[in-house]
């Protein structure tokens, strides 16, 4: 009978095997960005008089459409994806603002709501497209013998 020994990492190494030092930092930053964006939307919709309202709301207005557009651009390289999604977010914000000003219905809460709805619609369309692509590829193909 052969004994198989499992080599354990040395105790002086702070890293776990297979883990990079900054690997856990990205989800933490994503969570913090989500909290800042949600707080910005809440401060704008509740019309709270706070010095954080402006920067947090601006962050929300850039982050929400950026994340939605970046989800739709999965095939691009990371730098191009970030650049295109931020440019798309600025375009979405400007179109919402221009549309609201054209119909004389401008309000901060309305703008935040419109950007939220558009971002959610983009995410739903991307999610639906992925689900539809996954379900159609999992179905057996029919042979057309006629």
């Amino acid at each position: 009978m052969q004994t198989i020994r499992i080599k354990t990492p040395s105790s002086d190494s702070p890293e776990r095997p297979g883990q990079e030092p900054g690997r856990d930092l990205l989800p933490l930053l994503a969570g913090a960005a989500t909290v800042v964006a949600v707080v910005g939307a809440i401060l704008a919709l509740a019309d709270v008089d706070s010095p954080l309202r402006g920067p947090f709301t601006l962050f929300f207005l850039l982050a929400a459409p950026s994340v939605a557009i970046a989800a739709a651009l999965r095939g691009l390289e990371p730098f191009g994806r970030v650049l295109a999604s931020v440019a798309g977010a600025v375009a979405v914000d400007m179109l919402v603002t221009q549309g609201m000003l054209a119909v004389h219905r401008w309000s901060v809460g309305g703008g935040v709501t419109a950007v939220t709805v558009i971002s959610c619609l983009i995410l739903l369309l991307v999610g639906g497209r992925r689900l539809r692509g996954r379900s159609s590829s999992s179905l057996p193909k029919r042979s057309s013998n006629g």
Side-chain angles (χ1 to χ4, degrees), residues 12-136:
D12 59 344
S13 174
E15 299 177 21
R16 293 176 284 190
Q19 286 286 87
E20 297 173 12
R23 184 117 171 118
D24 294 335
L25 189 61
L26 190 60
L28 180 68
L29 289 175
T34 302
V35 168
V36 168
V38 168
V39 167
I42 291 171
L43 288 175
L45 291 173
D47 202 22
V48 175
D49 192 24
S50 168
L52 296 176
R53 177 181 169 193
F56 282 16
T57 304
L58 180 62
F59 181 77
F60 171 79
L61 289 173
L62 286 174
S66 289
V67 169
I69 293 170
L73 299 175
R74 278 259 150 127
L76 290 180
E77 298 208 8
F79 181 71
R81 191 171 165 190
V82 167
L83 193 64
S85 65
V86 171
V90 170
V92 165
D93 291 340
M94 290 174 67
L95 287 171
V96 165
T97 303
Q98 190 173 17
M100 290 179 75
L101 287 173
V103 296
H104 303 288
R105 296 287 183 204
W106 170 251
S107 71
V108 175
V112 169
T113 303
V115 168
T116 303
V117 168
I118 291 171
S119 300
C120 289
L121 285 175
I122 293 171
L123 279 174
L124 285 173
L125 290 173
V126 169
R129 184 179 65 187
R130 287 201 183 126
L131 286 176
R132 188 177 58 226
R134 187 179 310 154
S135 64
S136 66

